[in-house]
Amino acid sequence: MAFAILRYDVPASLVVFLVAIPLSLGIALASGAPIVAGLIAAIVGGILAGALGGSPMQVSGPAAGLTVIIAGMIDQFGWAATCAITVAAGALQILLGLSRIARAALAIAPAIVHGMLAGIGVTIVLGQLHIVLGGSPQSSAIDNILQLPGQIIGHHDAAALIGLVTIGILLVWGKLPAAVRKVPGPLAAITTVTVLAAVTGMSLDRVSLPGDLLSVDLVPRLPEGGWLEIGLAVLTVALVASVESLLCAVAVDKLHTGPRSNLNRELVGQGVANMASGAVGGLPVTGVIVRSSANVGAGARSRASAILHGVWVLVFVLLLAGLIENIPLAALAGLLVHVGAKLVNWQHIRTVAEHGDLPLYLVTLFGVVFLDLLSGVLIGVALSLFTMLRRTIWSGIHVERDGGRWGRDPHGGSEETQYRVVIEGALTFLSVPRLSRVLGTVPQGSTVTLELVVDYLDHAAFDSLASWQQAYERAGGTVVVDEVGHPWFERGKAGSPTVRREAAGKVIPRWLAPWSEWQANHAAPHVPGQRISPTATFRGTSEFQRRTAPLMQPTLSRLADGQQPHTLFITCVDARIVPNVITTSGPGDLFTVRNVGNLVPSADGAVEDSSVGAAVEYAVGVLKVREVVVCGHSSCGAMNALLDTAPEGMPHFGSWLRHAEASRRRMRAAPAVTLAGREPAAGAERLALHNVLQQLEQLRQHPVVAAAEARGDLHLTGMYFDVGAAQVYLFEPEAGGFVAAGTHAEMP
């Protein structure tokens, strides 16, 4: 442990120390606090938060994110009272950490946090630019903006030169060779311009420190009156410092592979550090991403690096305070302009925009800049709640024409105009005004399909729909209700409404379920003797074109010029077997052959039985499939017919089943084949298992299959589907039977 500290943490702590010194001075300057307050916060934050916090790699100190808040508090309450507010905010942080709600801070939308930091950055830049250009910052962002043009074209003295040179060095530092960049950019910039100012004898305002730092009198005092404002200030500092520290800890965790952060402990550690910092006259402390990322990048392995960085700051201040007093204030202003500009992170803006939260980001940013930090954050939180509510209760409502072929009366009547009202999403009382407006546009006397694709329907929306349906039908129109998913509307009309969303039963998507399960309420019962209508097919293809085709079109477009299936799937014609469903595959995946009994006639079979052989040759020889599956199933009519007698009057059926005679002989002579470790009791089920294995053997008689399998290019798989249990089984040679999918040995 001691060796690791000496080898990794001591060098890393020196790097962080070199970054911390200029940043601490600059943040104190921007806050309007005594310069020494930034150094005190760096010392206390490094040592106490580093030792007591829950994020081993995080480095704490004064942060740019609180400069605007602290500057406002100093103007309103004075510095001594601001220190007392810092102590109280630290105590509140400890309580929040002990209550174990630290993770709740992560519920704040990232767009608000990034917008807040960007707003702080813009505010810092607008104020410090005036100092860089030789002037003084104004009292508000608007005044800073209005006065900036005159400041730019006005007279510039040596301070402007120092500030601009500082910014220039920081901008080009990241483009220099890696060997040079081992020196932290802020340290290089401040050192260079300080030497330049000393060598040239420039007359500049410089950092001023007390003569004896150990006897500095910065004891906090309770502010007088205005307890509501004071309480709000305490809450603001505690929340902003906590959120910034917790988000920084989460970000730092992504930079290393060591122990993860304990966020509740981190909040307690930050609270202790803030109480101590405020008590001895320091700025508020937070986790700082600039120092923390430098710490990880420098190779730190434990919290010793953060603690030592605070020790080095203390030693430097006590022994080398004279060097600090040579630093021009304009140089620190230039450093702050660069730091503030980096808070407006373009990668964050791009990410926020991709997630549709750019308005949230911008509202928070402008609120922080033109009002104040707390107002900006509160406005951002309010907008995020409104956006969340809107997205949660959104419902798409529109009317479309059901015309052309599908507008024809399925029962043989004349063609009529039909309309479809489509409602999607959560339908609540908030959507009722728009719902009523859209329903009012449907012409009277038409046939209307009310298509409900909703995941929630409250009482107000149900009442609106039911009332409209009743009135529309009284006026001579026809309303057909077509619910996709849980029957919210149907249950409501039946007098047993579903009240809670979690109580809604799971419904099979109708593109997977049999047509009969979702068309039963729409198809008229067949009357013997009448001509059968193709309503089911028309309705099914219409449903495909409306709901499924738009989703599948991109995939089908890629497949339009050719196919490259990975599997030849041979199965029964039984309507209950849907290959793509039980294999979770889609268009272009399976080259499917279906016949009665999933049979594979031998390679030397008659010409009239060559259809399966042709498919096998094409799939293996031309399409180069990597697998051939033979899938049998339970309750197979072909297997029952083999054990009994083929139905009379069906010569082709009986002729085809002669290809399964080998399976019947195999069942009588071969050892038992098990299903999930047991031999099925029913003879037809035992025969179905033997039949699968027999067809695999007959597949191997095809030269193209034998050659591909010998080369290792093809794998043959036996599959069995238990219809009633909805369970797929795969043949496992080592087990001597079929085992449930998911438990079988994977192919190498």
Side-chain angles (χ1 to χ4, degrees), residues 346-360:
W346 294 107
Q347 180 59 44
H348 289 162
I349 296 175
R350 187 179 301 112
T351 302
V352 165
E354 289 172 352
H355 286 270
D357 286 338
L358 185 60
L360 192 58

Side-chain angles (χ1 to χ4, degrees), residues 20-39 41 62-64 66-68 70-72 74-75 79 123-124 127-132 135-137 159 162-163 166 190 205-209 283 291 324 327-337:
I21 288 291
L23 287 178
S24 300
L25 295 172
I27 290 168
L29 175 67
S31 301
I35 292 293
V36 70
L39 298 172
L66 282 167
T67 53
V68 178
I70 299 305
I74 293 174
D75 288 339
W79 172 242
T123 304
I124 292 173
Q128 297 303 309
L129 267 178
H130 285 276
I131 299 178
V132 169
S136 300
I162 290 297
T166 302
I190 296 299
D205 291 332
R206 288 176 164 80
V207 172
S208 177
L209 296 177
L283 285 169
R291 304 181 197 196
I324 297 177
I327 299 175
L329 294 180
L332 296 179
L335 172 62
L336 285 168
V337 168

Side-chain angles (χ1 to χ4, degrees), residues 487-523:
W488 295 91
F489 191 64
E490 177 187 329
R491 292 282 179 86
K493 296 191 71 174
S496 56
T498 304
V499 179
R500 297 182 304 277
R501 182 177 296 184
E502 59 270 21
K506 294 183 178 180
V507 180
I508 299 177
R510 66 193 198 191
W511 50 86
L512 297 181
W515 281 349
S516 57
E517 291 191 16
W518 63 272
Q519 294 194 5
N521 295 330
H522 306 289

Side-chain angles (χ1 to χ4, degrees), residues 371-670:
L371 298 175
D372 57 69
L373 188 138
L374 182 60
S375 298
V377 171
L378 291 177
I379 292 173
V381 170
L383 180 59
S384 70
L385 292 174
F386 173 79
T387 303
M388 177 200 68
L389 183 63
R390 180 179 179 276
R391 290 171 177 172
T392 301
I393 58 100
W394 175 90
S395 56
I397 308 171
H398 70 276
V399 179
E400 58 189 45
R401 192 82 165 263
D402 260 2
R405 183 176 184 181
W406 313 119
R408 195 176 300 275
D409 184 349
H411 309 309
S414 60
E415 187 167 328
E416 59 177 330
T417 302
Q418 295 189 6
Y419 294 89
R420 181 178 292 266
V421 178
V422 181
I423 303 175
E424 300 174 292
L427 193 60
T428 68
F429 68 96
L430 295 172
S431 302
V432 167
R434 185 157 57 95
L435 172 65
S436 178
R437 184 173 65 253
V438 173
L439 292 176
T441 65
V442 180
Q444 294 293 322
S446 301
T447 296
V448 181
T449 298
L450 186 61
E451 183 175 308
L452 299 176
V453 194
V454 299
D455 52 21
Y456 181 72
L457 181 71
D458 73 359
H459 182 213
F462 166 78
D463 188 65
S464 179
L465 280 174
S467 299
W468 172 82
Q469 180 185 9
Q470 187 178 28
Y472 193 85
E473 290 176 340
R474 275 203 309 263
T478 301
V479 178
V480 178
V481 180
D482 182 11
E483 284 196 83
V484 179
H486 182 76
W488 295 91
F489 191 64
E490 177 187 329
R491 292 282 179 86
K493 296 191 71 174
S496 56
T498 304
V499 179
R500 297 182 304 277
R501 182 177 296 184
E502 59 270 21
K506 294 183 178 180
V507 180
I508 299 177
R510 66 193 198 191
W511 50 86
L512 297 181
W515 281 349
S516 57
E517 291 191 16
W518 63 272
Q519 294 194 5
N521 295 330
H522 306 289
H526 174 62
V527 178
Q530 285 190 356
R531 178 175 175 269
I532 296 178
S533 169
T535 303
T537 302
F538 285 175
R539 191 178 299 279
T541 52
S542 178
E543 176 79 3
F544 169 80
Q545 291 301 142
R546 285 174 38 73
R547 307 199 66 85
T548 310
L551 302 176
M552 295 181 62
Q553 192 276 330
T555 298
L556 292 173
S557 178
R558 293 195 300 270
L559 297 170
D561 296 328
Q563 59 173 324
Q564 290 184 318
H566 54 70
T567 300
L568 167 61
F569 198 89
I570 303 172
T571 192
C572 186
V573 294
D574 193 293
R576 298 165 295 179
I577 311 302
V578 187
N580 291 105
V581 172
I582 65 175
T583 60
T584 315
S585 54
D589 294 335
L590 304 181
F591 191 78
T592 306
V593 174
R594 305 189 69 152
N595 60 55
V596 174
N598 45 273
L599 303 180
V600 181
S602 60
D604 58 355
V607 174
E608 63 267 20
D609 296 331
S610 62
S611 173
V612 177
V616 170
E617 291 174 353
Y618 189 78
V620 178
V622 178
L623 299 179
K624 307 296 183 184
V625 297
R626 301 184 296 277
E627 183 179 25
V628 179
V629 174
V630 176
C631 178
H633 66 96
S634 61
S635 303
C636 180
M639 299 300 103
N640 281 309
L642 271 173
L643 291 179
D644 196 355
T645 304
E648 295 183 3
M650 299 173 61
H652 296 291
F653 184 78
S655 176
W656 173 254
L657 287 183
R658 75 183 190 277
H659 297 297
E661 284 296 330
S663 298
R664 184 159 57 176
R665 292 194 299 269
R666 178 191 181 97
M667 186 180 73
R668 292 170 179 168

Side-chain angles (χ1 to χ4, degrees), residues 616 620 628 696-714 716:
V616 170
V620 178
V628 179
L696 291 176
E697 291 303 318
Q698 292 180 186
L699 264 173
R700 292 187 170 94
Q701 297 175 16
H702 288 259
V704 66
V705 173
E709 193 175 24
R711 293 193 305 269
D713 295 337
L714 187 66
L716 302 188

Side-chain angles (χ1 to χ4, degrees), residues 85 88-89 92 96 229-242 374:
I85 290 172
L92 181 56
L96 291 174
E229 292 81 2
I230 294 169
L232 192 60
V234 171
L235 182 63
T236 301
V237 172
L239 291 180
V240 174
S242 299
L374 182 60

